[in-house]
Amino acid sequence: MEFLTHDLSALFAQLGLANDELSQHRFIHEHRLDNQTLLPEAAFWTQSQANFLRDALWDDADWSEAIDQLDVRLRQSD
């Protein structure tokens, strides 16, 4: 069985977001999470984006590492 790993750029593309480095930086700067909000529950996702994130985390999918990385970056302050 082949295990795939996806980076943050691939995750942004999968979510239908611009995935160049500047767009990623802008998104992360403009969307912050507090410590009580789970990433898939954030208000800034569409329903399909939230479902994808929730399902990928629940299934411990190949996307989990990139999703965890995004989660950490959305909780950090600049």
Side-chain angles (χ1 to χ4, degrees), residues 23-37:
S23 295
Q24 290 176 45
H25 178 76
R26 281 186 185 145
F27 182 90
I28 290 167
H29 180 73
E30 294 171 1
H31 300 88
R32 293 296 181 184
L33 286 177
D34 58 44
N35 288 328
Q36 287 73 43
T37 305

Side-chain angles (χ1 to χ4, degrees), residues 32-45 49-50 53-54 57-58 67-68 70-72 74-75:
R32 293 296 181 184
L33 286 177
D34 58 44
N35 288 328
Q36 287 73 43
T37 305
L38 299 174
L39 180 64
E41 306 304 322
F44 47 81
W45 301 122
Q49 290 169 326
L53 292 167
R54 188 177 302 103
L57 289 170
W58 179 259
I67 293 170
D68 289 344
L70 179 59
D71 185 60
V72 167
L74 290 171
R75 293 178 195 283

